[in-house]
Amino acid sequence: MNIQTTLALIMTTTLGTAGLAVADKDSYALDQWKATPKTYLNKAEHEQYLKECGSCHFAYQPGLLPAASWERIMANLSDHFGDNAELPATETTDIRNYLLNNAAGRVNSSLPKKILRDSKAQQPVMRITETPYFIRKHDEIKPKMVKDNPEVRSFSRCDACHTRAADASYNEHEVKIPGYGRWED
Ligand code: HEC
Ligand code: HEC
């Protein structure tokens, strides 16, 4: 039984005709509820994080990695994937707190939950692109579309293909791979 049928049933059985006015108000609430997108992944909104961690690459949403991964990343900024991304101590603390408080496992939204569930068995990885969830979702994409594609080069560049990555929206229907166009499954 779907939610509408369930609600209709509850209304008719418990409210009867006296409940008509209430039923009107409730159907308005139900419309609102249906129009509100469910939380899939929160946007990155921390000003310093966006500025400092979005200067070399896309500012990944904190919910894309478990806390232990962010902890490892933030503890090794002087040797960050071959770059030095070190920051003053207060900024590092600030950004670390933001990332940990919004990491997968901390926030109650669906994408972080899936990432965490898939990652439980293994050591915390330092890359989103190395999480089992990511690998599973991207295993049909050929190297010529990524590594050998001058407009992409790396899976780390989420925003090269996901047209709404900055809005924390990774729906497969919004994917456009440069040089290949829309993704058709
Ligand atoms: C000086 C440039 C620079 C800055 C600043 C920087 N990064 Fe990076 N980051 C890199 C490079 C280079 C890579 C590797 C990208 C690749 O493999 O294509 C990377 C990769 C990453 C990845 C892994 C992406 C994946 O493949 O899943 C994460 C997570 C990350 N950075 C987080 C951060 C955070 C958090 C900060 C801010 C504290 C930050 N970065 C600041 C250069 C930088
Ligand atoms: C080369 C282009 C490309 C890059 C770069 C890329 N993706 Fe994707 N991504 C895709 C495609 C294509 C799909 C759909 C795959 C399918 O359905 O078979 C997808 C699927 C996804 C999904 C699942 C969406 C769903 O509706 O199930 C998520 C989440 C996602 N990507 C996140 C990311 C993140 C985060 C990054 C960066 C760390 C990233 N992607 C980088 C092309 C890319």
Side-chain angles (χ1 to χ4, degrees), residues 40 60 64 111 128-129 133-134 137-138 140-141 145-146 152 154-158 160-162 170-172 175 177 183 185:
Y40 178 69
Y60 310 108
L64 292 170
L111 181 58
I128 300 150
T129 50
Y133 175 84
F134 185 96
K137 284 288 175 178
H138 296 83
E140 285 174 30
I141 307 168
M145 297 174 172
V146 190
V152 182
S154 164
F155 266 125
S156 308
R157 294 196 49 220
C158 320
C161 302
H162 291 276
Y170 291 96
N171 190 304
E172 60 183 281
V175 174
I177 303 181
W183 180 257
D185 219 357

Side-chain angles (χ1 to χ4, degrees), residues 37-45 50 58-62 64 98 109 111 158-159 162-171 174:
K38 66 171 186 253
T39 324
Y40 178 69
L41 176 70
N42 293 330
K43 276 171 74 166
E45 279 173 329
L50 291 173
F58 173 67
Y60 310 108
Q61 288 83 14
L64 292 170
Y98 166 67
S109 33
L111 181 58
C158 320
D159 53 334
H162 291 276
T163 56
R164 294 191 56 215
D167 295 327
S169 182
Y170 291 96
N171 190 304
E174 297 161 353

Side-chain angles (χ1 to χ4, degrees), residues 125-136:
V125 291
M126 288 181 66
R127 284 180 180 270
I128 300 150
T129 50
E130 283 174 6
T131 58
Y133 175 84
F134 185 96
I135 294 168
R136 187 154 47 77

Side-chain angles (χ1 to χ4, degrees), residues 4-115:
Q4 273 144 297
T5 335
T6 315
L7 283 179
L9 201 67
I10 291 169
M11 280 176 198
T12 41
T13 49
T14 62
L15 301 175
T17 40
L20 267 183
V22 182
D24 277 342
K25 210 166 122 246
D26 278 3
S27 61
Y28 175 73
L30 187 61
D31 286 343
Q32 291 274 298
W33 176 79
K34 280 194 278 191
T36 312
K38 66 171 186 253
T39 324
Y40 178 69
L41 176 70
N42 293 330
K43 276 171 74 166
E45 279 173 329
H46 188 277
E47 201 180 318
Q48 267 176 327
Y49 173 71
L50 291 173
K51 181 164 154 267
E52 302 297 350
C53 305
S55 58
C56 295
H57 49 68
F58 173 67
Y60 310 108
Q61 288 83 14
L64 292 170
L65 280 175
S69 294
W70 288 123
E71 184 63 41
R72 268 185 77 193
I73 290 167
M74 293 307 290
N76 293 289
L77 287 179
S78 62
D79 181 14
H80 180 76
F81 304 97
D83 273 355
N84 185 346
E86 231 172 349
L87 292 167
T90 47
E91 250 182 299
T92 307
T93 305
D94 236 39
I95 292 175
R96 176 197 273 120
N97 288 345
Y98 166 67
L99 289 169
L100 296 188
N101 284 331
N102 293 279
R106 250 309 165 87
V107 291
N108 186 29
S109 33
S110 60
L111 181 58
K113 274 191 190 158
K114 285 184 200 159
I115 290 171

